[in-house]
Amino acid sequence: MNITAFIIYCVVITITPGPTNIVILSSVQHFGARKTMKYVYGATIAFGLLLAASAVLNHVLAGVIPNIVGIMQIIGSVYMLYLAYQIYKMNTGEATPSHNTNFLSGLVMQFVNPKVIIFTLTVIPSYVMPYYSSSLASFQFVAIITVIGFLAFMTWVICGTVFKKFLQQHQKIVNILMALFLVYSAIMASGIV
């Protein structure tokens, strides 16, 4: 196993902008790091659960992946568009609903995030199973990948905290850009383009 390629793949996929990371950045800007951590915990647990499911059910899922991916693309795209609308209408001058910063929202986002679904369905069979056959080894890699994902989420929390003043000064532009990134993610995830 090429551990370097494995680590690079995991880091690049988890740290690059995607729906979860964009919501984390927006949540830090509007609600602060402490409240955003609930979302991060939910997203991390869902990420780990998806990785574990991939490790356990890889062979069973192989026959139904096209159906699961198609359904998840639709659900994920609709949910991302909903989040884009919520981010677009955020305003620091008024009370904003905190639905996208809670544990459950972080959990749900990962289960409908096509980027995460595809990643979790490919990383274990591509990098782990060809070299390790034991369940223990698979779950050790699940734990390693989950920690990498958590560290990527924390990177977005830290960046949001460090640049919070700048983000608040340019809130409307930032909200529009983040909403557009989510719309782009939804379009890409839907398979329209």
Side-chain angles (χ1 to χ4, degrees), residues 20 23-24 36-43 100-102 105-106 109:
T20 302
V23 171
I24 288 170
T36 301
M37 288 309 297
K38 294 176 187 174
Y39 182 90
V40 170
Y41 296 143
N100 64 350
T101 59
N102 63 34
S105 183
M109 182 60 162

Side-chain angles (χ1 to χ4, degrees), residues 59-74:
H59 297 292
V60 174
L61 291 176
V64 293
I65 285 175
N67 295 335
I68 289 173
V69 170
I71 292 167
M72 296 312 284
Q73 283 177 317
I74 293 167

Side-chain angles (χ1 to χ4, degrees), residues 8-25:
I8 289 171
Y9 177 60
C10 292
V11 169
V12 167
I13 292 297
T14 58
I15 206 161
T16 53
T20 302
N21 295 337
I22 292 167
V23 171
I24 288 170
L25 184 63

Side-chain angles (χ1 to χ4, degrees), residues 1-177:
M1 174 184 195
N2 185 337
I3 196 76
T4 304
F6 166 75
I7 297 289
I8 289 171
Y9 177 60
C10 292
V11 169
V12 167
I13 292 297
T14 58
I15 206 161
T16 53
T20 302
N21 295 337
I22 292 167
V23 171
I24 288 170
L25 184 63
S26 176
S27 296
V28 169
Q29 176 193 0
H30 294 284
F31 306 113
R34 175 180 245 158
K35 197 166 187 183
T36 301
M37 288 309 297
K38 294 176 187 174
Y39 182 90
V40 170
Y41 296 143
T44 301
I45 288 173
F47 187 58
L49 290 172
L50 285 167
L51 286 164
S54 174
V56 171
L57 303 173
N58 185 50
H59 297 292
V60 174
L61 291 176
V64 293
I65 285 175
N67 295 335
I68 289 173
V69 170
I71 292 167
M72 296 312 284
Q73 283 177 317
I74 293 167
I75 294 170
S77 295
V78 169
Y79 188 65
M80 284 182 242
L81 290 172
Y82 171 73
L83 289 175
Y85 173 73
Q86 293 298 319
I87 288 171
Y88 171 76
K89 72 177 197 164
M90 281 184 175
N91 184 349
T92 57
E94 59 188 49
T96 314
S98 63
H99 74 278
N100 64 350
T101 59
N102 63 34
F103 179 86
L104 184 59
S105 183
L107 193 76
V108 169
M109 182 60 162
Q110 293 298 69
F111 281 110
V112 298
N113 183 344
K115 175 184 170 186
V116 171
I117 299 292
I118 299 301
F119 172 73
T120 58
L121 290 175
T122 59
V123 69
I124 298 294
S126 299
Y127 284 97
V128 178
M129 290 182 167
Y131 304 100
Y132 302 96
S133 59
S134 77
S135 297
L136 179 61
S138 291
F139 284 105
Q140 287 173 334
F141 280 100
V142 165
I144 291 167
I145 299 166
T146 302
V147 168
I148 291 170
F150 177 74
L151 294 174
F153 298 151
M154 289 305 301
T155 300
W156 283 86
V157 170
I158 291 166
C159 287
T161 302
V162 169
F163 297 109
K164 185 174 184 172
K165 187 172 183 172
F166 172 81
L167 295 171
Q168 286 176 337
Q169 288 174 344
H170 306 286
Q171 177 187 356
K172 193 60 180 173
I173 293 169
V174 171
N175 285 357
I176 290 169
L177 288 173

